[in-house]
Amino acid sequence: MIPTRQSSSTIQDVPTQVLVQHFADRLLILVTQLGKVGTLVQASTPALSAPLRPTSHEDDSDPDAPADPAPNPSPWPAPSLSTQLTPLLGVPTPLQELYVSQIAAIARQEVVVVGIATTHAFIDTLSSRPSLGVHR
C-alpha cells in the first residue's frame, strides 16, 4: 500500500484538494481546484543544495559570518537555486514553476513530482497579495 495523505480547503471560495503519496524514491504532490492532475512537473534538488535565501528561522552556527541583509520573512523554506524542473505533462507557466520550486523546498525531498491544476482566480488572489512574494 502506498502511503497517502489527502486534505482539502477552500481558498477564495474555491475548493482546493491536496494529495500526497510517498514512494520509495520520490513524493507525488497534487494540488487541484479543477479535479484533475493538470500540469505535472518533476523537481529534483541535490541533497546538499543551498536555498535562494536563508530563512529567518534557520540557526546560523558561524558567529563570524556576515548577517543576511534581507532575511526571508516567510515561515517557509526558500527554494534552492539548484532545483531542476522537468515538465512531465503539459507546459508549466513561470508561476507554476515557482509553485513547484516552493513545494519542493517545503517537502525537503530530493525528487518531488508536483501536479498543479488551479483556477485563474487562485493566481489572481496570490498576485494581489505582495506578502506572498508573487507578482504579475
Side-chain angles (χ1 to χ4, degrees):
M1 182 94 159
I2 299 170
T4 303
R5 291 188 181 217
Q6 190 170 3
S7 181
S8 63
S9 184
T10 301
I11 300 174
Q12 294 294 311
D13 298 324
V14 180
T16 306
Q17 292 81 37
V18 177
L19 173 99
V20 179
Q21 290 188 314
H22 189 109
F23 295 89
D25 62 341
R26 68 195 67 224
L27 278 178
L28 171 66
I29 301 174
L30 303 178
V31 180
T32 184
Q33 294 177 322
L34 305 174
K36 55 186 176 180
V37 172
T39 303
L40 200 59
V41 180
Q42 178 172 291
S44 302
T45 306
L48 299 174
S49 62
L52 291 174
R53 291 189 314 205
T55 57
S56 59
H57 57 78
E58 288 181 356
D59 180 30
D60 186 0
S61 59
D62 183 3
D64 298 326
D68 182 17
N72 183 359
S74 171
W76 305 111
S80 171
L81 284 172
S82 60
T83 298
Q84 291 183 295
L85 302 179
T86 306
L88 302 175
L89 179 65
V91 179
T93 65
L95 190 54
Q96 288 174 326
E97 290 178 345
L98 175 65
Y99 294 160
V100 171
S101 295
Q102 184 63 64
I103 290 169
I106 293 167
R108 297 178 190 245
Q109 295 283 321
E110 286 187 40
V111 180
V112 180
V113 176
V114 180
I116 298 180
T118 57
T119 65
H120 291 293
F122 178 75
I123 294 169
D124 292 340
T125 298
L126 292 181
S127 298
S128 68
R129 298 178 69 185
S131 64
L132 295 176
V134 177
H135 304 283
R136 276 192 161 173

